Amino acid sequence: MKKQPLLKRLITGAFVGLAFLAIGATGADAAKTKIADVSQWQGSINWSKASKQLKMVIIRVKHGNPGDSDYAIDTKRNTNANGAYKYNVPFGQYDFAEFDSVADAKADAKQFYSLASKNAKFYVLDNEKRKSGVKGKEQTYVNAWLTTMRSLTNKPIVYYSYQNFVSVHSINYSKFDGSWIANYSNKPNVSTDLWQYTSKGSVSGISGNVDLNKVVDSSTVSSWYSGSSTKTAPSYYTSVTAGQKVTAKKAFYQYTTANFTGKLSKVSKGKTYTVKAIAKSTKGTPRIQLSNGHYITANKAYVMVK
């Protein structure tokens, strides 16, 4: 075989090497398809192995508040955060909350934030357990927790719960930067960006079962950890002409009043209605009144008026 000149062989080899690295990187990225949430119950995670499959991970920080009978700070919160960070797995952290007062919700948020890793890309309120005696007040506590977190960070803040809890307690989580809803039988029938679909998943490097999640709204979920989006003040329609059409860009609900009381039927993404006028809540937030007399959000992130 005739030998190539040395320089030509070096250049050819360099291109082959770069091509190999490019293919290898593409293959590695393609393998990162799983999104898991973990806590101390997963034991010691081999992050070197897990990182080869995990596109993103959500790590527990604590459960409840001091004084709660089941209060606990997750013993693996720092180990898991450091492991994910070391192996370049984007991660958020979650707070399993059990509110029983506005003060409790505010204190919970402050403690959660103080315990969370500075490398967390986003924060999650895990709101799935109700203490006795707080019926009808869940929304007030959720709002207090969110307001407190907003005062502490400009990173995305996500709402998590089970489909049934959201429905039973009529939780409005539209002011969060996204939603993460669990339902193990079917895709949630409430608005969600990330769907926790099983508690019996598997990930290389994690012993036993692990919760796994599917992306429903890729642009929203990616914004939690990519840094491509931070919370901005909502932009509202402040004037409309009777007879115009409004189309839902996301799912939300209709209400009987401009203060969003009297929850009615769900508005599905893509649904179109006829506009009557702009109204305002008692706090001055613009709402769209429909020709049927019902009220919906005027937030341009949720609706488009033509």
Side-chain angles (χ1 to χ4, degrees):
M1 179 182 294
K2 185 178 179 180
K3 291 185 178 181
Q4 295 176 316
L6 178 59
L7 180 60
K8 186 175 182 180
R9 280 186 282 137
L10 289 173
I11 294 173
T12 302
F15 276 112
V16 171
L18 289 172
F20 176 79
L21 289 173
I23 293 170
T26 302
D29 290 342
K32 291 176 175 286
T33 59
K34 296 185 177 183
I35 298 176
D37 50 280
V38 300
S39 69
Q40 67 188 51
W41 305 116
Q42 273 66 55
S44 296
I45 296 174
N46 184 326
W47 284 99
S48 177
K49 289 183 178 180
S51 65
K52 293 177 173 60
Q53 292 188 333
L54 288 174
K55 181 178 182 179
M56 181 179 80
V57 68
I58 308 173
I59 299 166
R60 189 179 76 157
V61 169
K62 70 186 188 72
H63 182 127
N65 259 2
D68 296 343
S69 59
D70 53 356
Y71 169 66
I73 295 176
D74 197 292
T75 59
K76 294 289 186 180
R77 72 188 191 285
N78 291 332
T79 301
N80 286 335
N82 293 338
Y85 183 72
K86 178 179 179 179
Y87 289 97
N88 298 312
V89 179
F91 71 93
Q93 292 190 294
Y94 73 92
D95 175 20
F96 189 116
E98 297 178 5
F99 307 136
D100 59 8
S101 71
V102 168
D104 188 44
K106 291 180 177 179
D108 184 284
K110 291 176 182 177
Q111 187 199 30
F112 167 59
Y113 182 74
S114 71
L115 292 171
S117 168
K118 64 181 177 60
N119 295 314
K121 297 290 188 180
F122 59 95
Y123 304 103
V124 181
L125 169 60
D126 182 343
N127 180 223
E128 61 182 87
K129 185 176 181 181
R130 179 174 64 84
K131 287 185 178 181
S132 60
V134 297
K135 184 176 181 181
K137 299 179 181 177
E138 292 85 354
Q139 188 68 60
T140 300
Y141 304 153
V142 166
N143 293 347
W145 186 95
L146 177 61
T147 299
T148 304
M149 285 297 293
R150 289 275 185 233
S151 71
L152 297 170
T153 180
N154 62 358
K155 291 181 180 180
I157 304 174
V158 179
Y159 179 85
Y160 168 90
S161 193
Y162 286 87
Q163 172 185 294
N164 184 64
F165 189 94
V166 168
S167 299
V168 169
H169 301 294
S170 300
I171 303 297
N172 180 346
Y173 44 90
S174 62
K175 292 183 179 180
F176 285 75
D177 296 295
S179 55
W180 171 29
I181 303 297
N183 195 54
Y184 298 154
S185 55
N186 298 295
K187 183 179 177 181
N189 60 18
V190 296
S191 178
T192 187
D193 301 304
L194 184 65
W195 168 26
Q196 187 184 86
Y197 70 95
T198 184
S199 60
K200 298 181 179 179
S202 64
V203 174
S204 177
I206 301 179
S207 300
N209 294 333
V210 63
D211 297 338
L212 289 182
N213 308 273
K214 292 181 179 180
V215 173
V216 177
D217 187 323
S218 59
S219 62
T220 297
V221 173
S222 65
S223 74
W224 300 347
Y225 63 87
S226 67
S228 61
S229 175
T230 56
K231 186 69 174 180
T232 57
S235 176
Y236 295 99
Y237 287 101
T238 56
S239 64
V240 295
T241 302
Q244 283 187 284
K245 300 297 182 181
V246 57
T247 302
K249 297 166 70 175
K250 299 181 181 180
F252 52 83
Y253 286 88
Q254 300 181 64
Y255 296 86
T256 58
T257 74
N259 288 325
F260 280 2
T261 59
K263 188 176 182 180
L264 298 169
S265 60
K266 183 178 181 181
V267 177
S268 301
K269 180 179 179 181
K271 186 74 174 179
T272 298
Y273 294 89
T274 301
V275 171
K276 180 179 179 181
I278 288 289
K280 289 188 177 182
S281 71
T282 54
K283 293 184 178 181
T285 304
R287 313 293 194 194
I288 293 175
Q289 184 181 24
L290 303 175
S291 59
N292 62 12
H294 301 162
Y295 295 85
I296 63 171
T297 180
N299 190 330
K300 293 180 180 180
Y302 285 81
V303 296
M304 178 172 61
V305 176
K306 293 183 178 180

